[in-house]
Amino acid sequence: APLLAGAGLTAEALRKGMAPDTADERDAERLAARLRNAASEIRRLAHDLQPAAVSDRGLGAALSDYITTLDAPEMPRIRLRVEAGERLPAVVEQAAYLVVLEALNNVVRHAHAEHCEVTPTRASGELLLRVVDDGVGLTQPYVSGIGITSMRSRIQALGGVFDLGPAPGGGTLLQARIPVEP
């Protein structure tokens, strides 16, 4: 990830030295964007392989730590509001963590959002995950890719419900409900 990020910065520096609105400048811009995306994807994959962050510190702290690692020029402002209270069963926290990471990856890569809010809330014997952004929304017709399919599968494997659709006022709203044993 650091090597890709460095290559992206180099491509961006080269682009800035080129004449504006030329084919070379546009190619350098695309290269820089691809390298940033690849670095972000590597970071996401690395975080997915390290479940200890959740089991050691809890869902809220692990999400807060992850969000602080997200740093790119086009990054939306991400607000985390943890209302989950006490610790949840490890399997629920792990699934919730991975679902939020994938959701944030989608926001960063596809939404073109300025703001995003992540809210895990524990109430009435369940964990409600809510991720909402003010971006461009889902393309129509909407086709579920591997990331969304994986999020849905994680939630359903725990007996939960997964919903993804337009947010009130524009953007995208992900909501997932996971039963939590009292």
Side-chain angles (χ1 to χ4, degrees), residues 69-145:
T69 68
L70 298 176
D71 185 24
E74 308 85 28
M75 187 66 57
R77 177 170 291 143
I78 300 171
R79 180 176 178 214
L80 174 65
R81 292 181 33 210
V82 178
E83 300 171 6
E86 62 194 52
R87 294 290 303 262
L88 301 163
V91 67
V92 172
E93 286 189 329
Q94 184 64 33
Y97 177 75
L98 293 174
V99 166
V100 171
L101 263 58
E102 181 62 37
L104 289 174
N105 182 56
N106 288 343
V107 169
V108 170
R109 291 178 66 200
H110 306 295
H112 306 287
E114 291 184 27
H115 302 91
C116 176
E117 185 170 281
V118 177
T119 311
T121 306
R122 183 177 185 165
S124 303
E126 65 184 5
L127 174 66
L128 171 63
L129 291 178
R130 188 171 190 275
V131 180
V132 62
D133 69 67
D134 62 358
V136 297
L138 298 170
T139 58
Q140 297 298 327
Y142 164 67
V143 178
S144 179

Side-chain angles (χ1 to χ4, degrees), residues 32-86:
R34 287 178 181 155
L35 289 166
R36 280 192 306 273
N37 286 340
S40 293
E41 186 69 11
I42 293 294
R43 277 192 215 101
R44 185 186 68 79
L45 289 170
H47 280 279
D48 286 355
L49 296 173
Q50 298 176 9
V54 178
S55 61
D56 291 349
R57 305 197 52 230
L59 179 61
L63 287 173
S64 179
D65 290 348
Y66 176 75
I67 289 168
T68 62
T69 68
L70 298 176
D71 185 24
E74 308 85 28
M75 187 66 57
R77 177 170 291 143
I78 300 171
R79 180 176 178 214
L80 174 65
R81 292 181 33 210
V82 178
E83 300 171 6
E86 62 194 52

